[in-house]
Amino acid sequence: MGWWRWIGWEAAAVLRAARSAVTGPGPERDAAVQSLKAAAAAALAWAVTGWWWGAPMALMAPWTAVVLVESTVYRSVRSGLQQLAVIAAGTVIAAGAATLTGNKMAAMVLALPLTVLLGNYARFGQQGMYASTTALFVLAYGSYSLYDIGHRLLESVIGAAIGITVNALVLPPVHARSVRHMLYTLPRDSAHLLHTIADGLREAGDEGYSHQDAETWQDRARRLANAVTDLHTARSWDQESYRLNPGYRLRRRGRAAPSADWDETWDGISEHLKTLTRTLREAAPDRNDLAPPPSGALGLAADVLDAAGEVCEHDLHLLDEGPEKEREGRRAADLERAWEAHGRLKDWLPELDGDSSVSLGGLVAEMQRLLYALGPQLALKSRAA
């Protein structure tokens, strides 16, 4: 039953990705475009070397072309140089081993350890694996003459040139949209998580929330922290995607994204949410790690989290629409409302016994850190959008 459920989830995810690729711009459409470009580059490389030229090792051209339609033009050029060096080394080593031994099996025993070690050389990156596969191709075909070696290298050069040219001239990839997508993800998902926790705490009543609910909250907080890492990656790809890109001046960049300081702030917010949800999980009534806080205190905690969620929603709109005094005023009012609820929540601490005060004290402290992280400086940082 578990396998069928997993297959259903995967199928649903594939359908969502396909729908997103068709209906509008985004990472799914970018991936589809790059995949089609890679297929077209491979077909064109085969048409040139296999159909028109009739090369003896025409496979090398489409094989090289398809892997060089990379995520950025700069990466295509760099990978192309790495791959040509690796293919040349693998070809020469295999030919030399075959010439020395005169036996295909003995040549494999001699050449493969060398090419695998060469493939692990850090300078070759992911292209290093092609040293050993090239050696296998050479030994399997059994052609080691200088003429054959020259043909393989020339076919690889043609494939690399076609792959890089297709990637550079046909919708050259730019990843500014990925940065914008991740920037929206952080305040949007943070707001949704905060509202979900607040609703769960209110609906629990005197019985308290369940450990399963708290685990779900913590899992979502972990994924939010992963989104910060994805944002850092997207920024580096965005910067790289404009290097050696002939379409740089043809792309509309829109408003500049907030600086990296904005990322660091949301990194802190995501860490506070992880700690907050972990404390809620440990203080669940059906757990024995911490004594659960009283239901009345949890109601006030829900008020704090609800107001904090509203603050995150304001940041999402400020990021999308730019500076807006009315929006910033409402944001400041919601942040003040969160601080007022937090102050009332702190008043519970002196009245509690030792066990309950530990769990509630942990929640109060983490909420205070969260509200400081959501301070007015965050709205100012979003003005660069």
Side-chain angles (χ1 to χ4, degrees), residues 186 193 211 214-230 267 269-275 277-278 281-282:
L186 290 167
L193 175 59
H211 176 249
E215 279 193 334
T216 302
W217 301 337
Q218 189 175 23
D219 180 63
R220 289 176 59 180
R222 290 195 193 100
R223 280 184 276 145
L224 188 65
N226 293 337
V228 177
T229 303
D230 293 339
D267 191 11
I269 291 172
S270 66
E271 288 299 319
H272 297 321
L273 287 173
K274 280 174 60 179
T275 305
T277 53
R278 183 174 66 246
R281 178 179 61 82
E282 293 171 347

Side-chain angles (χ1 to χ4, degrees), residues 288-301:
N288 297 320
D289 299 34
L290 294 174
S295 58
L298 290 179
L300 285 174

